[in-house]
C-alpha cells in the first residue's frame, strides 16, 4: 500500500518543464535544485475542508475507475454545509482506503477512483492552496488521451498546488459528522529533505 505523501512542485514534468516553466533538467538523479519539497520545510498550516463524495452518493466508496466532477464537489459543499475558500487545503474523499481494507487490495495503478480533470476548474476558481485525497487524486485509467496523470499535471504543473496522495479519512469522517463540521485547522509537516520531489506526511486535523 502506498504511504501518505506530499508531492513537491518539482514532482511533475510536462512538455519538458516543471511548474512556472522551470526546466525539467533541474531534477537529476541527485535530486531537485528548484521547486523541491524544501519550499514547505516549515510546514503547511491552513483551513482544511473535507468533501466526502461517497457520503454524498450514499455509498461506502467510489469504485475504481469512477471519477469526481466539479458538480460533485459543489453538491458535497451544499450537502455538508461548507464552502471552499481561497487558500484552503481541499481534501476529497473517494473511499479508496476503506475499499482496500474491506474488499481487499487490487491493482490501483490500473484502476482507481479520482478526480475528473475538468474538476480542476473548480480548484482554480476557488484558488485552493493544496489538494489531498485518500487515493491518488487521479482517476485510472486516465481520462485524458496521452497523459497518464492529467489531474497532477493540471494541479501541480499548471496551478502550482502541492498534492497529498493516499491520506486516511476513515477516523476523521465520524468526528466531522458528530461535530456537524467539515472544516478544521489542518497541519502538514513534511520531512526536511532539501532536494526531494516529495515527502511522507501524516497531516493532522484539529477540530
Amino acid at each position: 500500500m502506498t504511504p501518505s505523501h506530499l508531492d513537491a512542485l518539482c514532482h511533475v514534468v510536462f512538455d519538458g518543464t516543471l511548474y512556472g516553466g522551470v526546466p525539467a533538467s533541474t531534477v537529476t538523479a541527485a535530486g531537485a535544485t528548484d521547486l523541491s519539497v524544501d519550499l514547505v520545510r516549515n510546514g503547511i498550516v491552513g483551513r482544511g475542508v473535507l468533501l466526502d463524495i461517497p457520503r454524498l452518493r450514499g455509498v461506502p466508496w467510489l469504485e475504481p475507475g469512477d471519477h469526481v466532477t466539479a458538480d460533485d464537489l459543489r453538491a458535497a459543499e451544499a450537502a455538508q454545509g461548507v464552502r471552499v475558500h481561497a487558500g484552503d487545503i481541499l481534501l476529497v474523499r473517494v473511499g479508496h482506503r476503506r475499499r482496500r481494507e474491506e474488499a481487499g487490495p487490487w491493482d490501483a495503478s490500473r484502476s482507481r477512483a479520482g478526480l475528473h480533470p475538468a474538476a480542476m476548474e473548480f480548484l482554480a476558481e476557488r484558488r485552493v492552496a493544496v489538494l489531498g485525497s485518500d487515493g491518488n487524486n487521479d482517476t485510472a485509467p486516465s481520462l485524458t488521451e496521452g497523459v497518464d496523470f492529467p489531474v497532477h499535471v493540471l494541479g501541480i504543473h499548471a496551478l502550482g498546488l502541492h498534492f497529498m496522495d493516499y491520506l486516511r479519512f476513515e477516523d476523521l469522517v465520524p468526528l466531522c459528522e458528530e461535530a456537524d463540521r467539515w472544516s478544521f485547522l489542518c497541519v502538514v509537516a513534511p520531512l526536511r529533505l532539501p532536494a526531494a520531489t516529495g515527502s511522507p506526511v501524516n497531516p493532522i486535523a484539529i477540530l
Side-chain angles (χ1 to χ4, degrees):
M1 181 65 181
T2 305
S4 58
H5 62 273
L6 179 140
D7 293 340
L9 297 184
C10 62
H11 191 78
V12 173
V13 176
F14 187 73
D15 280 349
T17 66
L18 309 177
Y19 170 66
V22 174
S25 59
T26 57
V27 180
T28 69
T33 60
D34 207 345
L35 301 179
S36 77
V37 76
D38 199 53
L39 286 176
V40 288
R41 69 189 314 271
N42 293 324
I44 299 171
V45 179
R47 176 178 181 258
V49 177
L50 175 61
L51 298 183
D52 189 338
I53 306 306
R55 182 177 186 269
L56 172 71
R57 298 187 187 178
V59 296
W61 54 70
L62 303 190
E63 290 295 338
D66 199 353
H67 54 264
V68 177
T69 67
D71 285 343
D72 285 327
L73 298 176
R74 295 187 188 96
E77 283 184 312
Q80 296 173 211
V82 69
R83 183 174 173 83
V84 177
H85 296 297
D88 282 350
I89 300 168
L90 174 59
L91 306 173
V92 180
R93 179 176 177 268
V94 297
H96 179 100
R97 292 271 188 183
R98 181 175 174 184
R99 186 184 193 280
R100 189 179 192 279
E101 291 168 0
E102 296 187 14
W106 74 98
D107 187 354
S109 68
R110 294 180 177 273
S111 183
R112 63 181 176 272
L115 273 68
H116 191 288
M120 297 307 290
E121 291 185 14
F122 174 93
L123 280 77
E125 291 169 0
R126 300 299 181 85
R127 299 173 60 198
V128 303
V130 179
L131 173 65
S133 174
D134 52 348
N136 171 261
N137 283 298
D138 260 291
T139 304
S142 172
L143 298 169
T144 303
E145 185 177 355
V147 182
D148 289 337
F149 299 94
V151 169
H152 277 68
V153 170
L154 291 169
I156 298 175
H157 187 278
L159 296 177
L161 306 181
H162 284 88
F163 270 32
M164 293 188 289
D165 299 333
Y166 296 109
L167 304 178
R168 179 179 174 83
F169 299 140
E170 302 314 313
D171 298 325
L172 177 58
V173 167
L175 296 177
C176 289
E177 289 179 331
E178 182 180 356
D180 192 24
R181 198 177 91 204
W182 297 89
S183 64
F184 37 79
L185 179 65
C186 186
V187 179
V188 186
L191 299 177
R192 291 187 170 182
L193 304 170
T197 64
S199 168
V201 288
N202 184 25
I204 298 173
I206 303 172
L207 279 77

